[in-house]
Amino acid sequence: MRRSSGVPMFEKTFDIVIIGSGAGGGTVAKELAPLCSDGIRVAVLEWGPKLSGDEFTGNEVDMAKKLFVDSGGVLTKDGNMTLAMGKGYGGSTLSYTGTSMTVPKEVIDRWAVPGLTHGDVATRAQKYKEENNVHFQPEELLNDNNLLFQKGCRTLGYNVEQFPLNLKGCKGAGICNLGCPNQAKQGTHIVQLPEAEKAGVEVITNCLVEHIGIQEIEAVVENAPFGEPSTWEEGRYLIKAKIIVVCAGAVHSSALLLNSGFGDRLPALGRYLTVHPALILVAEHPHAISNFTGHPKSFFSDHFWRSDGFLLESCMYYPFITAKNMVGFGSDHSQLMQAFPRLQMILVLAVDQAEANNRVEIDGDGRPVVDYTLSNVTLDSLHMSMKAATRIFFAAGASRVHAPAGKRFFIEATQADDIERLIPRNKVVPGRISITSAHLMGGCRMGEDLQTSVTDSWGRVHDHPGLFVADSALLPRANEINPYLTVMALADRVAERIRLDAGELL
Ligand SMILES: Cc1cc2nc3c(=O)[nH]c(=O)nc-3n(C[C@H](O)[C@H](O)[C@H](O)COP(=O)(O)OP(=O)(O)OC[C@H]3O[C@@H](n4cnc5c(N)ncnc54)[C@H](O)[C@@H]3O)c2cc1C
């Protein structure tokens, strides 16, 4: 045991250490697992715990605490947006919805990362579609909330498509974002991590990495009040590794590298963060609809993607999140919440631009701070999306729509022709509407230029042999559609590079 500033430290040695076990880390672990049979020691260090099956209670408050960083209550520096980041064996794949999209070619073309082609990303995404059992759900399993979205879009002539989903044995519990109680979503906690462990990868949970040095890592193991205890004793650790792969998610990968001093030579570190700013919009139907049983997310519309920079998705959230997202209070708010069995919901994802000033910083205690300003272009997109969603709700038969930036709390069906006036642009103001993000991207973006990127197109950190990034932090711009398959595809690519470079690096 060594001592650092008088504190005893356990010592461990591996060849390869992967930090984080979500979409990126889980993929890298599985892809590098075959190396274990050659005697190469591979470990995954994961901050969060591994939950056992009966801990997925479906209780909103309980699961928020178990699945998300700071119970899902992380705010941007200006307090205008909440950020959902998963934490645990499986990372955000524990709580994601499982919509499984291949990134469009024009997005990869816009990224313009030298050496990265759409063909390569799409081929790798396809591999994970197969591995994760991605398929379309049969129509008889789609609930009213989803079908009403499809109906509204079709009535208006808006393009609408079904989401491919990564499910096996879905029982329609409807609470994907609270962690599936039936283990139906095929996240890394179900597919990639168990396979990696079987092949010899060691996964250490409740292990927070605090610092990365030259071929060494400082971490602390502290068990959570829930989940399985870590396989390592509680305490501080110094871990030697010749290859370090950072997969802590866009915010925490950036923060970890900043905390470790890499920002001095990598000016783009933490910058160009994109988040797909999101709105949850709600309407009331005159009669009960099936909404909180069945998969919550069956359809999306990219009708306004190119023209106005947003996507619309059918969705269904839980009482606390719904209440939090509905601007307003008092009897109107209470009435709408009491109408829960009659509510239809639509999620908006705005496509935000990658701007250097939107970034991850660290505070005096080394904790990440997300400094993100909603641009006028994004606010324009959100404004257009509110009007489009309101039209869809009414076309689907809603009796009234909650208008977060409206002149009044409800817009009644009789006012459907007056949407332009009732949802004015000047009410779409940060801080006045509830904006969330579950798609954190960038901060360690790929590229060639040392001033504007952190890694090359294979996730190798510029000028730091043996140090890789393999998660959502790599995205140089927004993914412009739900991103997890792109994250897995890029992580797969980084793992291939590591296998190729292993002879030299190990
Ligand atoms: C509620 C929700 C719903 C979503 N739904 C979808 C969807 O339907 N479709 C889709 O495509 N995408 C979806 N996403 C987005 C998708 O889940 C993410 O893009 C993807 O998981 C990102 O992968 P990642 O590896 O970068 O990070 P994560 O999957 O978040 O994994 C990062 C891991 O690193 C760990 N970690 C962080 N810091 C440290 C540290 N210092 N030391 C050790 N470990 C650390 C964290 O605990 C976490 O487990 C959703 C996300 C959320 C939160």
Side-chain angles (χ1 to χ4, degrees):
M1 188 177 275
R2 265 230 319 236
R3 290 185 166 269
S4 161
S5 318
V7 182
M9 288 180 103
F10 297 104
E11 286 183 58
K12 297 274 183 184
T13 303
F14 292 92
D15 296 299
I16 304 174
V17 165
I18 300 157
I19 302 167
S21 68
T27 302
V28 176
K30 189 218 72 183
E31 285 299 312
L32 297 185
L35 299 179
C36 296
S37 60
D38 296 332
I40 293 173
R41 294 154 303 171
V42 183
V44 177
L45 308 181
E46 166 54 53
W47 181 14
K50 181 176 185 180
L51 300 179
S52 53
D54 60 359
E55 287 182 288
F56 290 87
T57 59
N59 176 299
E60 199 176 349
V61 177
D62 180 45
M63 293 316 296
K65 190 175 63 195
K66 288 176 179 164
L67 294 177
F68 294 101
V69 175
D70 287 348
S71 301
V74 178
L75 285 170
T76 49
K77 190 176 183 178
D78 61 10
N80 287 333
M81 188 161 39
T82 43
L83 310 173
M85 293 175 275
K87 174 180 164 186
Y89 178 94
S92 299
T93 76
L94 280 161
S95 55
Y96 68 7
T97 323
T99 55
S100 306
M101 299 296 293
T102 304
V103 60
K105 180 172 184 309
E106 62 191 90
V107 174
I108 299 293
D109 291 348
R110 258 194 287 285
W111 288 6
V113 175
L116 185 76
T117 65
H118 180 259
D120 186 55
V121 178
T123 304
R124 293 176 198 270
Q126 181 58 30
K127 171 175 157 187
Y128 290 95
K129 276 186 161 176
E130 285 160 24
E131 202 166 293
N132 292 352
N133 198 39
V134 172
H135 62 282
F136 293 110
Q137 279 206 307
E139 192 156 345
E140 62 271 17
L141 293 183
L142 309 182
N143 68 20
D144 294 341
N145 178 53
N146 285 301
L147 292 168
L148 287 167
F149 177 81
Q150 184 195 41
K151 178 183 166 190
C153 287
R154 283 191 176 158
T155 305
L156 295 164
Y158 296 170
N159 180 42
V160 59
E161 289 175 47
Q162 194 173 348
F163 266 124
L165 300 169
N166 63 358
L167 308 171
K168 207 180 258 180
C170 174
K171 295 182 182 160
I175 48 173
C176 308
N177 302 133
L178 303 181
C180 180
N182 305 310
Q183 310 297 322
K185 267 183 315 175
Q186 301 297 294
T188 56
H189 59 304
I190 300 288
V191 184
Q192 287 78 23
L193 291 167
E195 189 179 329
E197 286 190 278
K198 221 184 284 167
V201 174
E202 194 178 338
V203 180
I204 300 96
T205 54
N206 296 315
C207 179
L208 173 68
V209 175
E210 292 185 336
H211 190 271
I212 297 173
I214 307 295
Q215 298 196 344
E216 65 177 33
I217 289 167
E218 282 184 44
V220 58
V221 171
E222 189 182 351
N223 288 321
F226 39 80
E228 296 173 10
S230 179
T231 47
W232 287 4
E233 200 177 317
E234 289 193 329
R236 295 197 64 79
Y237 285 80
L238 183 71
I239 302 143
K240 304 266 185 204
K242 297 193 185 94
I243 296 177
I244 298 171
V245 195
V246 185
C247 308
V251 169
H252 290 94
S253 287
S254 302
L256 180 56
L257 290 172
L258 285 167
N259 263 326
S260 306
F262 290 92
D264 298 342
R265 293 182 54 199
L266 296 165
L269 182 58
R271 293 180 180 271
Y272 302 98
L273 193 77
T274 52
V275 303
H276 288 166
L279 299 173
I280 297 170
L281 302 173
V282 179
E284 192 178 325
H285 281 262
H287 48 78
I289 59 171
S290 55
N291 55 11
F292 52 82
T293 52
H295 193 276
K297 198 171 274 206
S298 304
F299 294 103
F300 70 98
S301 172
D302 61 2
H303 194 81
F304 298 93
W305 169 46
R306 291 192 184 87
S307 58
D308 296 289
F310 65 87
L311 299 155
L312 299 169
E313 304 184 351
S314 56
C315 70
M316 190 70 204
Y317 292 96
Y318 323 105
F320 178 80
I321 294 208
T322 306
K324 172 185 88 76
N325 277 287
M326 288 190 308
V327 176
F329 57 92
S331 62
D332 283 342
H333 191 278
S334 165
Q335 269 180 43
L336 198 52
M337 285 309 296
Q338 283 173 40
F340 205 79
R342 290 185 278 120
L343 296 187
Q344 182 191 349
M345 293 190 199
I346 295 178
L347 180 80
V348 172
L349 292 182
V351 174
D352 49 342
Q353 301 305 309
E355 293 176 22
N357 286 341
N358 285 334
R359 60 172 169 153
V360 179
E361 305 166 331
I362 43 172
D363 68 12
D365 296 322
R367 281 186 303 242
V369 175
V370 174
D371 187 358
Y372 183 98
T373 305
L374 288 151
S375 72
N376 280 328
V377 176
T378 299
L379 293 169
D380 287 344
S381 295
L382 294 177
H383 176 229
M384 297 297 283
S385 74
M386 287 175 190
K387 293 190 289 182
T390 303
R391 290 193 186 94
I392 294 170
F393 284 134
F394 285 134
S399 48
R400 53 188 187 173
V401 174
H402 169 246
K407 291 199 163 187
R408 55 194 68 162
F409 190 83
F410 288 115
I411 298 177
E412 303 292 335
T414 50
Q415 299 168 308
D417 292 338
D418 207 11
I419 288 170
E420 288 294 333
R421 190 182 64 81
L422 292 173
I423 307 180
R425 169 65 177 86
N426 64 8
K427 298 260 186 192
V428 184
V429 178
R432 192 192 139 84
I433 47 176
S434 180
I435 304 177
T436 62
S437 165
H439 297 172
L440 287 312
M441 298 162 282
C444 304
R445 67 197 315 233
M446 298 177 287
E448 262 181 354
D449 183 354
L450 255 150
Q451 295 302 311
T452 57
S453 65
V454 172
T455 79
D456 68 7
S457 75
W458 296 95
R460 292 181 285 205
V461 175
H462 296 312
D463 295 337
H464 290 86
L467 181 60
F468 295 78
V469 175
D471 65 4
S472 49
L474 289 173
L475 274 67
R477 291 167 178 268
N479 195 59
E480 305 194 23
I481 188 70
N482 309 42
Y484 96 81
L485 265 184
T486 306
V487 176
M488 294 187 91
L490 294 178
D492 184 83
R493 192 177 147 86
V494 177
E496 180 184 330
R497 187 75 254 165
I498 294 171
R499 287 195 306 269
L500 291 170
D501 290 355
E504 208 176 299
L505 293 170
L506 293 179

